[in-house]
Amino acid sequence: MWRVYNPYSGEHLYTAQSGEVAHLSSLGWRYEGIGWYAPVESSTPVYRLYNPYSGDHHYTVDSGERNHLVSLGWIYEGVAWYSDDNQGVPLFRQFNPYVSIGTHNYTTSKSENDYLASIGWRPESVAWYGVDSVHVGTVVNCTPFMGDSRNSQEQVTSHLKAQLKARGREFPSEVYASYGAATADEFIARLFEAATAEGVRPDVMYAQAMLETGYLSFGGAVKPEQCNFCGLGATDSGDVPASFSSVYEGFLAQAQHLRAYSGKAPLSSTIVDPRYSTWLFGRSSTAAGTIEGLSGTWATDTSYGFKILTILNSI
């Protein structure tokens, strides 16, 4: 379960939907990480409601409270997640009597609960329960980056052309013509070929490459002619970024690196990723093989995965 914060209204929102987090992040909400783990299902649903007058959300396991709020004009949005029937990790609920938006906060932290109570919030006991971390297996509801593309090659190419046009730029043919991609169509074709060779989703690789390069504007340590579209070797400590002989090779290295993050060895007979090693296996922890699992692992940015999702969802 992810937690995001609206710095303008003061509201926290809690959701299992990565697309919702990505969308809200694009609107200025701050991603605050994983709030807790919810069971896939249980006998105790947590209901989500929306106040169309204030913009606030509310969550409760109490059907009576849900029905009362609906009678006051709140919109019932369905079951948001489930409470752990084994009562593994309590979610404490606090009420802020001084505001009209973001009136409730929910947290697994007793310290956060007590701090808010000390500054005037009203503690309202336990709202529901999350799963104890010792029982958490594979993270669900994350977005896999392995497999077939969910967007066609034509859709991805059109997206690139539209994004370049919106930025007042042309595809840099003068750079990539000598590296096997004289046009945007050829560039995306090489991407699809490389991604497919390693079983990685081409549309995800595209979204990551556009995030890393600023839609091929670069501007950082990596130069366009290095054909390094995912920042391989570029670190916060100033290491020299990797260079590749062609657009295809650069994308193949990216695909091999992503494949390693999913816990699998490259399929290609030649490893072109200079940083490939088995130490990368499982690097994204319990969210291995997912876009969300790249946050804080591929890059130090804890919202890295959601920024990729924002681009992916816009195709």
Side-chain angles (χ1 to χ4, degrees):
M1 297 302 309
W2 295 299
R3 171 170 151 162
V4 290
Y5 173 69
N6 187 331
Y8 308 107
S9 69
E11 180 190 8
H12 280 94
L13 185 134
Y14 313 84
T15 179
Q17 304 304 318
S18 59
E20 184 171 34
V21 174
H23 175 66
L24 292 176
S25 296
S26 73
L27 298 178
W29 291 61
R30 296 174 186 167
Y31 171 62
E32 293 189 333
I34 296 173
W36 72 94
Y37 292 97
V40 176
E41 60 182 1
S42 77
S43 63
T44 312
V46 180
Y47 308 112
R48 170 168 152 169
L49 300 106
Y50 173 69
N51 188 330
Y53 308 108
S54 68
D56 201 10
H57 285 86
H58 187 70
Y59 316 87
T60 180
V61 298
D62 187 340
S63 59
E65 182 178 29
R66 176 199 63 190
N67 295 339
H68 174 65
L69 290 176
V70 169
S71 73
L72 297 177
W74 289 66
I75 298 172
Y76 173 52
E77 296 187 326
V79 174
W81 57 82
Y82 291 89
S83 177
D84 179 25
D85 288 339
N86 294 318
Q87 299 188 352
V89 178
L91 266 293
F92 303 104
R93 168 171 150 172
Q94 310 85 37
F95 173 70
N96 188 339
Y98 307 109
V99 298
S100 58
I101 301 177
T103 53
H104 282 90
N105 184 64
Y106 308 86
T107 179
T108 61
S109 171
K110 188 64 165 59
S111 296
E112 183 178 8
N113 177 82
D114 294 346
Y115 169 72
L116 291 176
S118 73
I119 60 173
W121 291 61
R122 298 173 187 166
E124 295 186 336
S125 191
V126 175
W128 60 82
Y129 292 88
V131 178
D132 191 299
S133 59
V134 299
H135 301 304
V136 173
T138 302
V139 174
V140 298
N141 292 328
C142 287
T143 312
F145 57 70
M146 300 298 293
D148 297 330
S149 183
R150 298 179 187 177
N151 295 278
S152 70
Q153 184 171 319
E154 292 73 21
Q155 286 175 308
V156 174
T157 302
S158 295
H159 188 269
L160 173 58
K161 291 178 179 178
Q163 292 300 314
L164 290 174
K165 182 178 180 180
R167 290 163 172 76
R169 294 191 281 111
E170 300 287 338
F171 177 77
S173 299
E174 70 283 359
V175 176
Y176 295 117
S178 58
Y179 292 98
T183 65
D185 297 83
E186 292 179 355
F187 184 82
I188 298 302
R190 300 295 87 76
L191 184 155
F192 267 70
E193 291 165 4
T196 302
E198 292 294 348
V200 178
R201 284 180 56 183
D203 50 355
V204 173
M205 269 186 43
Y206 164 78
Q208 183 184 35
M210 295 306 102
L211 172 63
E212 289 280 356
T213 66
Y215 287 94
L216 304 179
S217 64
F218 291 89
V222 180
K223 305 304 178 186
E225 59 273 14
Q226 289 180 278
C227 294
N228 183 344
F229 306 109
C230 65
L232 280 175
T235 65
D236 293 340
S237 57
D239 294 337
V240 178
S243 295
F244 301 99
S245 63
S246 67
V247 167
Y248 174 80
E249 186 179 81
F251 282 132
L252 186 63
Q254 179 182 353
Q256 290 178 347
H257 208 73
L258 281 167
R259 187 175 176 84
Y261 263 65
S262 74
K264 300 175 182 178
L267 290 173
S268 303
S269 57
T270 301
I271 298 176
V272 297
D273 172 14
R275 294 177 60 80
Y276 169 78
S277 177
T278 54
W279 70 270
L280 293 172
F281 287 12
R283 176 132 170 86
S284 46
S285 187
T286 54
T290 70
I291 298 174
E292 293 82 356
L294 299 176
S295 297
T297 56
W298 186 290
T300 56
D301 184 358
T302 57
S303 61
Y304 182 76
F306 295 107
K307 290 177 180 177
I308 293 175
L309 279 168
T310 299
I311 295 175
L312 182 65
N313 292 336
S314 71
I315 298 175

